[in-house]
Amino acid sequence: MRTIYNKRAKMQRAELDGGTQIQFLYKCITNGGYVSFNKVNAETNQLESLFFAHPVSIQLCKMFSCVFLLDCTYKTNRYKLPLLCIVGVTSTNRSFYAAFVFMSNEVETSYAWALECFRTILDQKKLPCVLVTDREIALMNAIAVVFPGAKNILCKFHISRNILAHCKKEFKNGKEWEKFNGKWQQLVDSPRESDFYQTFLEMKTEYEIAYPQVYSYVVTTWITPYKEYFVAAWVDMHLHLGNSTTNRVEGSHSQLKKFLEVSIGNLATIWQTFDQMINLQHTEIKRSFGQSTIQTNRVFSSSLYSDLLGYISITALEYIKKEELRARTGHGSFEGCTHKIKYTLGLPCAHDLLSYIRNNNTFPLWMIHDHWKQLTLREIKEEQDIKEENEADSKIDVEIEGILRRYNNTSDLQKQEIKRKLRELMDPSSTQTLAPSLPTRTKGRPKGSYKKFTSDFKSTKRDPSLFEHVLKSEQLSLKMRPMRTTKKEAISEKRFLKVVQKEMPAYIRDYISDVVDVLGDGHCGYRVISNGMEMGDDWLQVRNDLSRELQQKDILYDAIFGTTRRIELQNSLDCTTTPAPLDKWMTMPDMGLIIASCYNIAVVHFSMFQSFTFLPLHSPPPAVRRTLFMGFIHGNHFVQLKIKDDCPLPPTFSIWRRYHEEIAEQW
């Protein structure tokens, strides 16, 4: 192993060619055609902040400038610099990295500098309509200054997690908490302001006296100052393209850290990893454009779509198809329509399509927002008319004359400084800028084993959030609680085990040693996964994880299920209320492959109707393999099964054999 490390270090030194890591970094950025800006400490000459954007990403930013999502991630570099990721959305619903910013801190001035840099790469005539963030006050203040015309939306998912972390402990039992959480979700999803104030009044009546701390927290922390930032009645008046959470950028963080592997790389090696990842991302985006341009889906064979096929993305067509079906079954009554589709997606609502359906006229292209019409990644070079328009701005005669005047009127020392800066402009790799200072490590070994410290030190895994600590503590308390406290409960559990065994195929009944039941509220399938993955009762996180899996691997799942079914599955995962409506329940076998691939585990599903083994599609098995056993009973409820080691397994789901990647063959 040491030989490998030495060889790798030797190769890195050869790449530097006698220069510093910062010089090598600037050389790579320049040669790659990136646009970059930096901020250097005037006293120490150390790099403080670095902004960089890939040339193709800049083009994507100009094509898809409606919505951007911003969030910081950590543990990406040896200097412990926070990394601000800015992510955009294409017409085919694929995420792309718009820009990266390493920052020395997360204060308002740093965010403002980063956003000013980002603004320079955008088309100044098409600035963002919506910017989605967490409740990071410094970032929100910077957005208000740099992008005053953009709507800042706060992530609903993170707000719900904050509510859980601060409020759940105040409730005496799970049912009371679930009731409150359902009311909160109803408040957040209020389609109109009148609905919001009505629901808020109900919440005030029910909880202001009974749970004063809970009521005070939600009102003072969220409702009063920020309701316009996350409640549907206000948020859904803006073109956010379905992005009301930062899950898209969180998923990008996860992908990024898979490429990084460790958190102790320097900025030069990290940039090389980023460059590789971004280029792969652009390849996938181009492929998705090709699918929308060339591929014809029989679902859209109707003459209604003849003017749209090949001109807008399949994603947009799917949304329109859903509205068409709603128009056909709506019996002509759409008085309660809030125009959500029109405002948030830039697409026609069902009542807009009704007259075209009745007269069998084609849906016109003018009803579709330009975002969905961008299906070609043009060459990096600007078009001729844009070149002519910007020709005056590209001239630097006045600036050169100003530099010469200043140079001639300064001292010898100042002339040397001007020359040094000009050399850096001509050749960025000649910079004298120093790398950021490394974090200071105190004397002595931290508490815990050295091995554990070393692993954590290199890991890119983020630290747990407050709500995760809450869920973990609940999980531990449940483990510590005795399984059977009375003879009556013991008899009840034995009867339930027998009931479940009768609902299972005959060949595995004797192998079921125990059953873990979960709350039957429409989220039971996702609760089983959460429990099996030792995530506590965080069914909402499971829904978000699976949604992210479908989104990141949309081409793969389009091939397996078809675009229509893939979007239906993704929509079924979008549910934060309890109980969940029927169309938001887990369905098998469709979800089996998605669960297995998302968590890199084997999933074994038993029922009287169908039993399958699901394996991951795109990842090799981990060092310690895990298997989740699920049972489906009464035709409407999932439970977790505890199975004896020698239990016979059902056949592998046939679709896996056709679509799994070579790397997953080891399963």
Side-chain angles (χ1 to χ4, degrees):
M1 185 62 71
R2 174 53 56 189
T3 303
I4 295 174
Y5 289 154
N6 291 341
K7 184 65 175 178
R8 183 183 296 175
K10 185 177 180 180
M11 292 173 63
Q12 290 176 352
R13 286 194 298 271
E15 284 182 334
L16 294 177
D17 194 24
T20 66
Q21 291 174 358
I22 297 298
Q23 288 174 339
F24 178 68
L25 170 64
Y26 285 1
K27 179 181 178 181
C28 291
I29 287 176
T30 303
N31 293 343
Y34 281 69
V35 170
S36 68
F37 303 96
N38 61 69
K39 187 162 62 173
V40 179
N41 187 300
E43 295 180 358
T44 63
N45 200 37
Q46 288 180 318
L47 183 68
E48 286 190 341
S49 300
L50 176 66
F51 173 100
F52 58 94
H54 192 284
V56 176
S57 295
I58 294 173
Q59 188 180 3
L60 289 170
C61 286
K62 293 179 179 180
M63 293 171 61
F64 306 107
S65 60
C66 294
V67 179
F68 291 99
L69 302 92
L70 302 88
D71 188 43
C72 274
T73 188
Y74 311 91
K75 295 187 177 182
T76 61
N77 60 90
R78 65 188 305 181
Y79 309 106
K80 306 303 179 187
L81 298 177
L83 175 64
L84 176 64
C85 296
I86 305 176
V87 172
V89 188
T90 70
S91 58
T92 52
N93 201 34
R94 295 195 67 88
S95 304
F96 67 90
Y97 290 109
F100 295 99
V101 192
F102 286 107
M103 304 189 302
S104 58
N105 52 51
E106 295 176 86
V107 298
E108 185 176 335
T109 53
S110 295
Y111 280 122
W113 178 85
L115 292 176
E116 288 286 2
C117 294
F118 179 55
R119 179 166 177 149
T120 61
I121 69 172
L122 300 175
D123 185 340
Q124 300 305 302
K125 296 180 181 179
K126 297 180 181 179
L127 294 176
C129 304
V130 169
L131 295 171
V132 186
T133 68
D134 297 337
R135 193 192 59 160
E136 177 63 46
I137 304 300
L139 177 56
M140 294 171 66
N141 290 341
I143 288 173
V145 173
V146 181
F147 293 103
K151 173 65 177 177
N152 186 186
I153 292 178
L154 296 183
C155 174
K156 291 197 299 185
F157 172 75
H158 283 88
I159 293 175
S160 69
R161 300 294 84 184
N162 275 282
I163 296 293
L164 182 150
H166 289 88
C167 299
K168 189 174 183 180
K169 60 186 177 182
E170 303 294 334
F171 290 88
K172 300 174 183 178
N173 55 63
K175 289 185 178 179
E176 285 295 320
W177 157 250
E178 293 290 350
K179 181 181 178 182
F180 168 78
N181 194 42
K183 180 63 70 174
W184 170 258
Q185 296 302 332
Q186 181 184 348
L187 186 76
V188 173
D189 295 334
S190 301
R192 300 176 183 83
E193 291 186 33
S194 58
D195 297 322
F196 168 82
Y197 288 114
Q198 176 62 36
T199 305
F200 177 64
L201 182 61
E202 295 171 2
M203 177 178 284
K204 180 179 180 180
T205 303
E206 191 166 355
Y207 296 103
E208 185 178 19
I209 298 176
Y211 296 94
Q213 290 181 323
V214 170
Y215 179 79
S216 175
Y217 172 76
V218 298
V219 171
T220 59
T221 306
W222 297 108
I223 294 177
T224 300
Y226 299 118
K227 61 180 179 293
E228 293 89 351
Y229 290 76
F230 66 90
V231 175
W234 288 275
V235 167
D236 287 348
M237 298 300 292
H238 299 271
L239 186 70
H240 57 63
L241 304 177
N243 294 279
S244 57
T245 72
T246 55
N247 290 346
R248 187 182 292 272
V249 69
E250 294 282 357
S252 298
H253 291 339
S254 176
Q255 181 187 21
L256 180 150
K257 291 188 174 183
K258 285 180 181 179
F259 275 80
L260 284 179
E261 296 182 347
V262 296
S263 62
I264 56 174
N266 59 55
L267 296 182
T269 57
I270 290 170
W271 178 87
Q272 291 175 310
T273 303
F274 283 9
D275 185 60
Q276 178 188 5
M277 177 186 64
I278 293 169
N279 285 321
L280 288 173
Q281 186 183 70
H282 293 161
T283 300
E284 291 296 319
I285 289 172
K286 292 175 183 176
R287 186 183 304 172
S288 70
F289 287 162
Q291 281 188 319
S292 289
T293 305
I294 300 171
Q295 198 175 55
T296 302
N297 194 321
R298 63 181 182 180
V299 176
F300 310 113
S301 58
S302 166
S303 60
L304 294 170
Y305 296 90
S306 59
D307 287 352
L308 303 181
L309 291 178
Y311 294 99
I312 65 173
S313 69
I314 292 179
T315 304
L317 289 169
E318 292 289 346
Y319 282 123
I320 296 172
K321 183 65 178 179
K322 189 174 180 179
E323 290 302 297
E324 180 205 342
L325 295 176
R326 196 162 73 92
R328 291 184 183 277
T329 58
H331 308 294
S333 177
F334 298 100
E335 293 180 1
C337 182
T338 59
H339 308 287
K340 179 179 177 179
I341 297 296
K342 183 183 295 184
Y343 293 145
T344 64
L345 297 175
L347 296 171
C349 295
H351 57 81
D352 295 321
L353 302 176
L354 195 58
S355 63
Y356 295 94
I357 295 171
R358 288 172 175 170
N359 299 322
N360 199 29
N361 293 331
T362 58
F363 298 145
L365 193 60
W366 62 262
M367 298 177 72
I368 314 300
H369 191 277
D370 287 345
H371 172 86
W372 306 105
K373 302 175 186 177
Q374 305 287 344
L375 296 174
T376 304
L377 194 59
R378 298 182 294 273
E379 295 296 325
I380 300 300
K381 295 179 180 179
E382 300 286 348
E383 297 177 3
Q384 186 63 34
D385 56 342
I386 299 178
K387 281 185 176 181
E388 293 175 358
E389 181 181 341
N390 296 336
E391 186 175 355
D393 294 335
S394 301
K395 293 181 178 180
I396 60 171
D397 297 347
V398 176
E399 286 78 7
I400 293 296
E401 290 177 3
I403 292 173
L404 287 173
R405 283 196 303 270
R406 182 181 175 187
Y407 182 82
N408 292 328
N409 295 326
T410 57
S411 65
D412 290 342
L413 288 177
Q414 290 174 321
K415 287 178 179 178
Q416 292 298 322
E417 179 64 15
I418 292 173
K419 289 171 68 175
R420 184 185 67 78
K421 291 181 177 179
L422 288 174
R423 280 195 295 268
E424 287 189 10
L425 285 174
M426 292 185 296
D427 181 13
S429 63
S430 67
T431 182
Q432 300 302 309
T433 302
L434 303 176
S437 57
L438 291 171
T440 303
R441 294 179 60 182
T442 57
K443 290 183 178 180
R445 177 171 59 84
K447 292 181 180 180
S449 69
Y450 177 77
K451 182 177 180 181
K452 180 179 178 181
F453 169 73
T454 304
S455 174
D456 291 343
F457 179 69
K458 293 182 179 180
S459 173
T460 61
K461 186 177 181 180
R462 66 175 176 82
D463 295 328
S465 300
L466 176 59
F467 79 86
E468 290 171 308
H469 286 295
V470 172
L471 292 174
K472 186 67 174 179
S473 64
E474 287 183 357
Q475 183 183 359
L476 291 174
S477 66
L478 287 172
K479 286 183 177 180
M480 294 172 64
R481 191 179 302 164
M483 291 298 294
R484 298 178 173 90
T485 55
T486 66
K487 183 177 179 180
K488 184 178 180 180
E489 288 179 0
I491 295 173
S492 177
E493 289 187 10
K494 287 181 180 179
R495 287 177 177 172
F496 183 65
L497 176 59
K498 289 183 179 180
V499 169
V500 172
Q501 287 175 328
K502 289 181 180 180
E503 295 266 350
M504 295 295 106
Y507 69 89
I508 67 121
R509 290 173 183 171
D510 294 337
Y511 293 93
I512 303 175
S513 60
D514 199 3
V515 178
V516 179
D517 196 14
V518 295
L519 186 64
D521 61 348
H523 302 291
C524 55
Y526 304 102
R527 292 182 187 274
V528 169
I529 299 169
S530 179
N531 186 70
M533 296 304 297
E534 299 181 354
M535 298 165 59
D537 192 30
D538 198 3
W539 53 267
L540 185 56
Q541 181 62 52
V542 173
R543 283 183 175 273
N544 281 284
D545 289 345
L546 299 179
S547 178
R548 190 181 304 137
E549 167 70 17
L550 277 170
Q551 187 178 80
Q552 292 179 345
K553 296 290 182 179
D554 58 347
I555 294 178
L556 172 63
Y557 291 114
D558 280 351
I560 295 174
F561 302 118
T563 305
T564 302
R565 181 55 181 157
R566 192 262 301 167
I567 292 178
E568 287 176 355
L569 289 171
Q570 192 149 359
N571 290 337
S572 74
L573 293 167
D574 183 16
C575 180
T576 57
T577 59
T578 182
L582 184 62
D583 62 334
K584 304 294 183 180
W585 291 11
M586 178 181 287
T587 57
M588 286 290 189
D590 291 347
M591 277 294 175
L593 287 173
I594 303 168
I595 298 166
S597 301
C598 179
Y599 294 106
N600 201 26
I601 60 172
V603 177
V604 182
H605 173 257
F606 291 108
S607 76
M608 290 297 289
F609 307 103
Q610 53 186 357
S611 299
F612 293 108
T613 298
F614 302 96
L615 301 175
L617 290 162
H618 52 74
S619 55
V624 180
R625 302 192 186 197
R626 299 182 64 175
T627 303
L628 176 65
F629 294 93
M630 303 178 66
F632 188 62
I633 61 174
H634 309 321
N636 63 1
H637 187 61
F638 288 95
V639 295
Q640 183 183 356
L641 304 177
K642 301 292 185 180
I643 303 292
K644 298 176 183 178
D645 291 340
D646 55 347
C647 173
L649 297 180
T652 302
F653 195 46
S654 59
I655 290 179
W656 179 85
R657 302 186 184 281
R658 191 186 313 169
Y659 290 101
H660 72 275
E661 297 178 6
E662 186 177 350
I663 195 172
E665 188 68 39
Q666 301 171 42
W667 280 95

